[in-house]
Amino acid sequence: MGIGYQNVAACAVLVLVMVMAEIAGICANSSTLLHSPCLERERQALVKFKASLNDSSNLLSSWHGHDCCRWEGIGCDNVTGHVVMLDLATPFAKCWRPMWEGEYWLRIDDNDNCDLLYNQYLEARNVNSSLLELEYLTHLDLRGNRFHSSPIPMFIGSMQRLRYLSLSAAGFGGRIPSNLGNLTNLHFLDLSRNEFSPDSNINWISHLSLLEHLNMMGSFIYNKSQVNIINLTITAPNLHFLSLADNGLSVSNLDALQNMTSLVHLDLSGNNLTSVSSWFGNFKKLEYLDLSWCGLHGPISNAFQNDNSLTSLSPLTFMTTLLLQFHLGLLS
């Protein structure tokens, strides 16, 4: 009787080992189990989108075959197969590394290699709206490509699942479409270094209450022109990165910032500020402040007197920087 039980147990163990070996073999030899293949409707949408682009650098050479989830720059949900990420930032843009919450600076040792990638980009004047078929897309990055001063496509304002949108240095122009205010799930928005009309009204930003990162650096043609943000309201309570640099703003344009107490990084360089408002003292979490090239003059505001969190200050002028750093206790 004992021998019978031992035989049964041995057989059970043998069967279990065989089953586990079979499963391991399937997993090792069939990567298709690691994700669901993309949906045909979404694959066709990407094909149409590609057809509207000039890809002289063959950046999309991998865009063939039935499984678009394997194409370069495409990310899919492993369970549903829906396309959730479209990352088409240029190789040159990808050579830049994040120095602070998405601000990109070249690695010193990569300069030469990055320069070799400068002429690799996608370009278009009219982008196919087929991307609307990617209804589960949460991440869209077109950084560094060339759209020849064409307006931001209106359909992007209908992609309401987006959490991440970067159109930085992509050569967009005209007025910024106000329907970007419909993207209420955005946490990251970068429209920096484009050629938008200075009469663009960006009050729609007030609808983006989930923003954590907003970069509008050098976004407008003729940076010294007055940008229409006088009545701008920012309601994002968790906004920690903000750049409005190089946009010709005056002090009165910045009153909307005085309640942004969550800011950690603030870049207002290259604007027409002349003085620092007392409400700068509200920024208790601020660690980085850039007020360079703003034409500041006169006494330094006592707004910084009790600011113990500020650890990095970009130069205003050499002497002003020394005075301000001394005032903040940043000099030993």
Side-chain angles (χ1 to χ4, degrees), residues 308-322:
N308 298 318
S309 62
L310 193 59
T311 58
S312 182
L313 182 68
S314 187
L316 315 179
T317 64
F318 179 72
M319 185 56 68
T320 305
T321 299
L322 290 179

Side-chain angles (χ1 to χ4, degrees), residues 26-266:
I26 293 173
C27 291
N29 297 311
S30 179
S31 60
T32 58
L33 292 181
L34 297 179
H35 73 274
S36 298
C38 76
L39 305 180
E40 177 61 18
R41 175 171 58 87
E42 296 185 355
R43 190 188 75 85
Q44 290 291 340
L46 289 169
V47 170
K48 292 177 182 177
F49 173 67
K50 177 185 177 181
S52 69
L53 303 172
N54 180 0
D55 182 19
S56 58
S57 304
N58 292 319
L59 297 178
L60 305 183
S61 59
S62 66
W63 283 33
H64 59 82
H66 294 290
D67 191 359
C68 65
C69 294
R70 298 183 180 279
W71 296 355
E72 183 72 22
I74 304 297
C76 294
D77 185 286
N78 287 334
V79 176
T80 66
H82 284 297
V83 175
V84 295
M85 181 183 75
L86 181 56
D87 183 355
L88 297 182
T90 63
F92 181 78
K94 291 177 180 178
C95 259
W96 297 54
R97 66 186 175 101
M99 294 293 288
W100 181 277
E101 299 293 335
E103 271 305 290
Y104 295 89
W105 304 92
L106 276 172
R107 300 176 192 265
I108 294 176
D109 56 339
D110 284 350
N111 282 354
D112 293 339
N113 292 332
C114 285
D115 286 343
L116 296 175
L117 303 174
Y118 182 73
N119 290 320
Q120 297 183 25
Y121 50 82
L122 303 168
E123 59 182 328
R125 295 186 182 275
N126 296 294
V127 178
N128 196 300
S129 62
S130 62
L131 289 185
L132 283 175
E133 296 292 330
L134 309 180
E135 56 182 314
Y136 290 90
L137 196 71
T138 61
H139 183 115
L140 177 60
D141 193 337
L142 298 176
R143 271 180 303 143
N145 292 294
R146 301 190 181 181
F147 293 95
H148 300 290
S149 298
S150 61
I152 294 176
M154 289 291 293
F155 68 80
I156 290 181
S158 299
M159 305 175 78
Q160 297 187 21
R161 291 182 184 265
L162 284 179
R163 293 169 56 89
Y164 181 106
L165 176 61
S166 179
L167 305 178
S168 176
F172 285 110
R175 292 186 178 182
I176 303 175
S178 60
N179 70 343
L180 292 186
N182 296 333
L183 305 181
T184 54
N185 285 309
L186 279 181
H187 288 245
F188 183 106
L189 177 60
D190 189 344
L191 300 180
S192 64
R193 300 181 176 91
N194 281 289
E195 301 174 347
F196 302 121
S197 171
D199 64 352
S200 294
N201 189 318
I202 58 174
N203 293 339
W204 48 265
I205 291 175
S206 64
H207 300 298
L208 308 182
S209 61
L210 299 182
L211 276 182
E212 298 174 5
H213 179 115
L214 175 60
N215 193 343
M216 301 288 291
M217 173 186 286
S219 295
F220 301 96
I221 300 175
Y222 313 122
N223 291 336
K224 297 303 179 182
S225 298
Q226 188 64 55
V227 179
N228 186 16
I229 67 167
I230 293 176
N231 297 317
L232 173 65
T233 301
I234 300 177
T235 59
N238 295 317
L239 188 70
H240 60 261
F241 180 103
L242 176 62
S243 177
L244 295 173
D246 297 328
N247 286 313
L249 305 179
S250 64
V251 175
S252 62
N253 294 133
L254 303 179
D255 287 343
L257 307 183
Q258 58 187 302
N259 295 322
M260 295 288 93
T261 56
S262 60
L263 286 175
V264 176
H265 178 114
L266 177 60

Side-chain angles (χ1 to χ4, degrees), residues 315-331:
L316 315 179
T317 64
F318 179 72
M319 185 56 68
T320 305
T321 299
L322 290 179
L323 289 172
L324 195 47
Q325 285 183 330
F326 179 80
H327 186 66
L328 295 173
L330 297 181
L331 293 178

